[in-house]
Amino acid sequence: DQQVKQNSPSLSVQEGRISILNCDYTNSMFDYFLWYKKYPAEGPTFLISISSIKDKNEDGRFTVFLNKSAKHLSLHIVPSQPGDSAVYFCAAEGSGGSNYKLTFGKGTLLTVNP
Amino acid sequence: DSGVTQTPKHLITATGQRVTLRCSPRSGDLSVYWYQQSLDQGLQFLIQYYNGEERAKGNILERFSAQQFPDLHSELNLSSLELGDSALYFCASSELLTGELFFGEGSRLTVL
């Protein structure tokens, strides 16, 4: 049962344009959402997060939007740069003490073409 | 550099064998997590330790076990290896039980 879904395995965007990566989740207990970026031969690195009490969080070129009613979040990158080419993982966690775990989607490979 | 160190980086072994993957968390981090990334799969949560105690368990096979030592480093033991165990195994750490995770570069296991 996949609780965090990234339905687009890949996305190709032109440099300077907007990249929109989507993520859906099924578990209503999730209350904190994160995006990680992963380059080849490296571990994932944290990019941006959002709490369920917010619907938007912005950090420079990166903005994450959360639609709780639709159980959907998206990551917007604008303007996109070739260095943004990487795999992006959406992740979610819920409060729960001993049941805590961060659940990841399968990732979306973003390619930004010069 | 995330500050999380994993060894070995690459490991090739045969079916039926046993291997141990090692992780040193970031200085000061008490939580250690193990994730498995197989081909076409996302990061699958295996297990979490906090200050030496197991805190959460995910899809970890009975053939796999882990522990966190008093110095907070962790080991993931994989036994009776099968071809399907070939994957990237990531260790991550965090200061507390929640929040941002810092990942190591991963250990790539190939079972032949």
Side-chain angles (χ1 to χ4, degrees), chain A residues 36-46 89 104, chain B residues 1-9 22-26 29 31-35 37 43 88-94 100-108:
Chain A
Y36 280 79
K37 178 168 73 172
K38 182 184 179 304
Y39 292 117
E42 294 183 13
T45 56
F46 170 76
F89 290 100
F104 284 82
Chain B
D1 182 8
S2 67
V4 178
T5 304
Q6 287 187 249
T7 57
K9 284 189 168 33
R22 195 179 190 278
C23 170
S24 294
R26 282 190 331 156
D29 284 358
S31 258
V32 169
Y33 310 77
W34 286 98
Y35 284 85
Q37 185 182 19
L43 290 157
L88 257 176
Y89 291 85
F90 285 103
C91 170
S93 73
S94 68
E100 180 182 347
L101 300 188
F102 295 87
F103 283 82
E105 293 184 352
S107 292
R108 180 171 293 283

Side-chain angles (χ1 to χ4, degrees), chain A residues 32 34 36 38 41-46 89 93 97-107, chain B residues 33 35 37 40-43 45 48 55-58 88 90 97-101 103-105:
Chain A
Y32 192 64
L34 307 90
Y36 280 79
K38 182 184 179 304
E42 294 183 13
T45 56
F46 170 76
F89 290 100
E93 70 178 47
S98 61
N99 292 322
Y100 160 82
K101 65 176 182 179
L102 196 60
T103 304
F104 284 82
K106 291 187 177 184
Chain B
Y33 310 77
Y35 284 85
Q37 185 182 19
D40 295 332
Q41 294 293 319
L43 290 157
F45 171 71
Q48 178 203 2
R55 290 305 301 257
K57 223 168 188 176
L88 257 176
F90 285 103
L97 284 169
T98 186
E100 180 182 347
L101 300 188
F103 283 82
E105 293 184 352

Side-chain angles (χ1 to χ4, degrees), chain A residues 71-88:
Chain A
K71 293 192 176 69
H72 176 84
L73 63 154
S74 60
L75 174 68
H76 292 210
I77 307 173
V78 55
S80 302
Q81 299 173 354
D84 296 329
S85 297
V87 176
Y88 289 79

